[in-house]
Amino acid sequence: AFASKHTKFLLEFQADYCLANPSIYSTESLNVTQTHKKRKDAEKYKFACRHNYKIFYIWESEVKNGDFTTIDRIEDVLLSMEKTDTAV
């Protein structure tokens, strides 16, 4: 995970199996470990939202498949933040 207090930006790399990527695993088929990790992740998500962080998740399968959609979205957000900072 990477976080910046200055920009309120949080980036997490998610392992498909351990964190039960919803595009691969159904909620009904999760084992005890996956369920526990998903619950902990939900707590982190709520904490980050309460503190106004922008949250991005990059799934293992995205990297393996060369899907850079999330990375492109992150770049767009960072560039818009940069423009806002320089406009002030």
Side-chain angles (χ1 to χ4, degrees):
F2 168 81
S4 168
K5 287 182 182 180
H6 171 71
T7 58
K8 298 248 179 196
F9 180 87
L10 177 63
L11 172 64
E12 287 207 339
F13 182 82
Q14 307 283 66
D16 287 332
Y17 177 75
C18 292
L19 293 164
N21 183 339
S23 67
I24 299 172
Y25 300 95
S26 69
T27 305
E28 298 81 32
S29 67
L30 303 183
N31 64 36
V32 174
T33 302
Q34 289 171 315
T35 302
H36 174 74
K37 288 182 182 268
K38 296 242 352 141
R39 200 172 299 129
K40 296 295 280 180
D41 243 24
E43 290 172 20
K44 283 192 291 183
Y45 178 82
K46 288 177 188 174
F47 177 86
C49 287
R50 276 195 312 270
H51 292 87
N52 300 313
Y53 274 76
K54 292 171 189 65
I55 306 163
F56 291 94
Y57 298 103
I58 298 177
W59 287 97
E60 173 186 358
S61 56
E62 291 179 66
V63 174
K64 285 182 177 178
N65 296 326
D67 178 356
F68 298 105
T69 306
T70 303
I71 293 171
D72 291 340
R73 283 185 25 237
I74 292 167
E75 183 179 30
D76 291 344
V77 168
L78 291 174
L79 287 172
S80 70
M81 290 169 72
E82 185 178 281
K83 288 177 186 174
T84 304
D85 284 347
T86 58
V88 176

